[in-house]
Amino acid sequence: MNDPVNRTMLLVDIEKFSDRDDVEQAFLRRMLYDVVDRTMERAGIDETLRLRADQGDSVMEFIDPNVPVPQVLRSVISELPAQLKAVNRMASSAAQMRLRAVVASGFIALDERGIWVGSDLNHACRLLDADLLRAALRERPGDVALCVSQSVWTGIVRHHHLGIPAEEFHEVTLASKNGPLPAWLLGSVPASGQAAVTPGAAGPAPTPAPGASGERPGPAGGTEAGPSGGGSASTSAPAPAPAPAPAPAAQPPAGIHFTGGAPVFGGGLVMGNQHGVSGGRVDGDVVLGSVGGPPRPGRTPNGSTAGGHAPGVDTPEQDGPSPDGRQTPDSGEAGPR
């Protein structure tokens, strides 16, 4: 293998090349060569200053380090879309071509089989094949999507050279099989790639859980953070258990129940000396059984009430009046209703 040499790399790939039949693919390859050659010629870069590697649906140009990188980049930004538009105007709908392009720099070497190799070249190829760059071309009206490597951004683009609009480049992170790759995309970032945008595009910070360190959300379920928790371990208070549903009220047993106020009787009631109280609401005092013993409050010693009305005395042979003033069925008299 030869010693590595420093080169500016231009990689260009045809969108949906494998969807075409053999005749269309052959025609698109000729169009691709024609567009790239015209772009290099307009930049003043003839064939003696560049080497080419054919990849079928893509082409790679390795440009002599004596050619200024801004000169290459200006041509790719302005001339490549213009040449592509001119060719597409003369082509049928089946032969329309759209391109993804990458401008990078680094060291490459030629092996004993005439193949260019190098880590910087691998990096550039993965940028060209990234899903985000494919999405950028798919979602924009133009026919070219361009991104540059981190080294080209740092050494060239960010310095605002003539004809290179640094403000139109956006920093992105492209996914690859070897991990995330930093790059700079010309034009808007596609909607499907917003999550891949690096610094400056962070969304709202997550709300920390109670008791967490504040550097990241606390662990679920109140468990302590592990060694990678990003701060001191803390324990969240457990959530209170939900209150149990109230049980249905139990029906009271049969009998007399006093819960305050006047007693309420449902149905018939028979107690003591066969004294009956019919259904209904009873107000006032209820006397069941014979009258005797010490006088109760509100009564005289002879058993009469304070108002002069003597209560009926209950005997086994004769029942007294019912508490509500109605006669018992044996008296034969109907009381007021």
Side-chain angles (χ1 to χ4, degrees):
M1 185 177 70
N2 295 337
D3 291 334
V5 294
N6 189 20
R7 294 279 177 167
T8 301
M9 294 174 276
L10 170 62
L11 286 67
V12 184
D13 184 274
I14 302 173
E15 181 188 46
K16 298 181 179 179
F17 182 80
S18 58
D19 294 346
R20 320 297 178 93
D21 60 33
D22 293 348
V23 175
E24 292 171 344
Q25 288 183 8
F27 179 75
L28 291 176
R29 281 173 51 82
R30 293 196 299 271
M31 288 177 61
L32 178 61
Y33 272 71
D34 188 38
V35 168
V36 173
D37 286 341
R38 291 184 183 181
T39 299
M40 294 291 98
E41 289 172 2
R42 292 298 182 96
I45 308 170
D46 59 34
E47 294 182 356
T48 62
L49 296 175
R50 53 192 174 99
L51 301 171
R52 173 173 290 172
D54 193 331
Q55 300 296 312
D57 60 345
S58 64
V59 63
M60 298 185 294
E61 297 280 342
F62 306 118
I63 302 168
D64 193 281
N66 291 320
V67 177
V69 177
Q71 182 178 338
V72 177
L73 193 53
R74 274 193 297 266
S75 181
V76 174
I77 292 174
S78 59
E79 197 63 35
L80 182 62
Q83 293 297 328
L84 179 59
K85 182 177 180 180
V87 171
N88 280 336
R89 288 183 60 187
M90 306 301 296
S92 65
S93 58
Q96 296 293 306
M97 184 170 61
R98 306 181 78 213
L99 303 175
R100 303 190 311 277
V102 169
V103 175
S105 63
F107 291 91
I108 58 174
L110 194 65
D111 67 8
E112 58 276 6
R113 294 180 176 82
I115 305 299
W116 292 99
V117 295
S119 298
D120 293 330
L121 178 57
N122 295 340
H123 182 99
C125 290
R126 290 179 183 129
L127 294 181
L128 185 68
D129 196 47
D131 290 337
L132 189 142
L133 187 58
R134 294 176 183 272
L137 179 59
R138 184 170 57 250
E139 296 181 14
R140 63 182 54 183
D143 293 330
V144 178
L146 169 67
C147 77
V148 301
S149 65
Q150 183 70 37
S151 60
V152 172
W153 160 264
T154 302
I156 304 298
V157 177
R158 71 184 182 92
H159 298 290
H160 296 267
H161 291 284
L162 181 64
I164 301 176
E167 66 281 357
E168 296 182 14
F169 283 83
H170 298 88
E171 185 179 11
V172 294
T173 299
L174 309 182
S176 74
K177 63 182 181 180
N178 287 348
L181 299 176
W184 291 81
L185 178 69
L186 178 62
S188 60
V189 179
S192 58
Q194 291 293 342
V197 178
T198 53
T207 303
S213 64
E215 296 185 16
R216 71 179 219 175
T223 58
E224 294 186 354
S228 60
S232 59
S234 58
T235 303
S236 301
Q251 295 296 329
I256 303 175
H257 305 279
F258 294 90
T259 57
V264 179
F265 296 88
L269 175 65
V270 178
M271 296 184 67
N273 299 325
Q274 301 298 319
H275 298 284
V277 180
S278 62
R281 183 180 184 88
V282 179
D283 297 321
D285 296 332
V286 178
V287 179
L288 301 176
S290 301
V291 176
R296 293 181 297 165
R299 294 181 178 271
T300 61
N302 61 0
S304 64
T305 61
H309 301 286
V313 178
D314 298 327
T315 64
E317 292 79 16
Q318 179 180 358
D319 292 335
S322 63
D324 59 357
R326 291 181 291 176
Q327 296 295 328
T328 61
D330 294 339
S331 65
E333 295 179 9
R337 296 184 181 275

